[in-house]
């Protein structure tokens, strides 16, 4: 499955990831939300290209849960573009697999388990950018995240992955989800927004800033 990238001149190109590298348990409040333990090391798992879908499913053998994540596209071993992804999860199955200490792939890597916005090419001097993103469902705020709230920074993630895995051009890295995950309801309208350059002072201030600042872009899906 191909994804779309918009460069700094507004030109659209398609990319075909060979894989999606996902970081789990990267927000403390989300870890507590699901009753998990703080990890001693970065949690990493992989979704195949076949997981990518343009549509948002609410059911795949069982109800599906959403996790909204800041994502980066790889080019020349660097994060070259930014977007938002929905890591779709079979929560019931995942809980059973975790209880038996088994891998998560059946709950995380199934067909249609990754939905992405368009990716916006990063300027060459954006290494210090702050990234903020949100998900609203039927106009109600469901998730609000900021790169400063991640346990592992964008640079830490890129460095840690490079220690054991080759990232090829077009690959996508999903950096984890903040609190607020939940079940996808059929017919619900999902809308994501992304901002750059918004500082994080407090959750309340961040919420206020997102109401007045112009997002880099907005994208939406209707759950099927």
């Amino acid at each position: 499955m191909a994804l779309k990238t918009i460069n700094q001149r507004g030109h659209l190109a398609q990319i075909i990831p060979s894989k999606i590298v996902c970081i789990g348990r990267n927000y403390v409040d989300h870890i507590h939300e699901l009753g998990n333990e703080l990890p001693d090391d970065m949690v990493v798992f992989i979704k195949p290209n076949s997981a990518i879908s343009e549509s948002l499913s609410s059911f795949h053998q069982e109800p599906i849960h959403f996790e909204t994540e800041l994502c980066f596209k790889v080019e020349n071993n660097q994060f070259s573009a930014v977007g938002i992804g929905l890591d779709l999860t079979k929560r019931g199955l995942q809980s059973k697999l975790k209880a038996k200490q088994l891998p998560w792939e059946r709950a995380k890597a199934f067909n249609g388990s990754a939905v992405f916005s368009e990716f916006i090419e990063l300027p060459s001097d954006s290494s210090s950018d702050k990234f903020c993103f949100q998900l609203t469902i039927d106009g109600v705020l469901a998730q609000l995240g900021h790169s400063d709230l991640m346990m592992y920074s964008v640079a830490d993630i890129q460095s840690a992955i490079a220690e054991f895995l080759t990232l090829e051009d077009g690959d996508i890295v999903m950096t984890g989800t903040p609190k607020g995950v939940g079940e996808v309801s059929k017919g619900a309208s999902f809308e994501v927004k992304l901002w750059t350059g918004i500082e994080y002072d407090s959750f309340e201030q961040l919420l206020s800033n997102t109401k007045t600042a112009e997002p880099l872009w907005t994208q939406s899906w209707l759950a099927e």
Side-chain angles (χ1 to χ4, degrees):
M1 174 67 73
L3 298 174
K4 297 177 181 178
T5 299
I6 301 174
N7 65 23
Q8 293 299 308
R9 297 181 179 179
H11 296 159
L12 187 66
Q14 287 193 326
I15 56 172
I16 301 178
S18 70
K19 58 185 172 294
I20 306 159
V21 182
C22 307
I23 308 303
R25 302 185 187 180
N26 201 19
Y27 289 78
V28 173
D29 285 346
H30 173 61
I31 294 172
H32 296 327
E33 177 181 44
L34 295 187
N36 293 322
E37 296 182 358
L38 288 171
D40 294 327
D41 201 356
M42 191 179 297
V43 176
V44 182
F45 61 96
I46 292 177
K47 293 176 183 271
N49 176 278
S50 57
I52 300 172
S53 175
E54 294 181 349
S55 59
L56 173 58
S57 297
S58 60
F59 193 89
H60 188 287
Q61 299 173 328
E62 68 174 75
I64 301 300
H65 283 224
F66 63 85
E67 300 183 5
T68 312
E69 309 199 12
L70 179 69
C71 302
F72 294 92
K73 187 203 79 168
V74 175
E75 188 173 354
N76 297 324
N77 296 316
Q78 299 294 324
F79 289 172
S80 62
V82 62
I84 300 297
L86 298 178
D87 171 15
L88 302 179
T89 304
K90 296 179 180 180
R91 190 71 71 202
L93 177 57
Q94 185 191 33
S95 297
K96 293 176 182 177
L97 294 171
K98 285 164 55 179
K100 296 179 180 180
Q101 297 185 329
L102 294 174
W104 296 354
E105 275 79 3
R106 291 180 64 190
K108 284 283 193 178
F110 57 92
N111 291 346
S113 62
V115 179
F116 295 102
S117 70
E118 294 178 349
F119 282 77
I120 307 297
E121 188 175 85
L122 294 168
S124 58
D125 60 350
S126 65
S127 58
S128 62
D129 273 358
K130 306 291 185 179
F131 298 97
C132 176
F133 62 98
Q134 75 169 29
L135 166 70
T136 58
I137 303 176
D138 293 332
V140 178
L141 180 66
Q143 290 189 273
L144 179 62
H146 193 282
S147 52
D148 281 356
L149 293 174
M150 298 194 302
M151 292 176 57
Y152 300 100
S153 70
V154 174
D156 289 339
I157 291 170
Q158 185 173 352
S159 177
I161 293 173
E163 292 177 358
F164 72 98
L165 185 66
T166 298
L167 290 174
E168 301 175 326
D169 285 358
D171 284 352
I172 303 299
V173 175
M174 305 184 77
T175 62
T177 190
K179 67 178 181 179
V181 302
E183 188 174 317
V184 179
S185 297
K186 184 176 182 179
S189 177
F190 280 61
E191 183 179 78
V192 294
K193 293 182 179 181
L194 173 69
W195 293 264
T196 59
I198 293 182
E199 296 288 338
Y200 178 80
D201 297 314
S202 66
F203 188 84
E204 291 74 17
Q205 185 62 46
L206 184 62
L207 185 60
S208 176
N209 288 341
T210 58
K211 291 179 179 178
T212 57
E214 187 70 22
L216 187 61
W217 48 251
T218 300
Q219 194 158 332
S220 60
W221 302 271
L222 190 66
E224 300 178 357

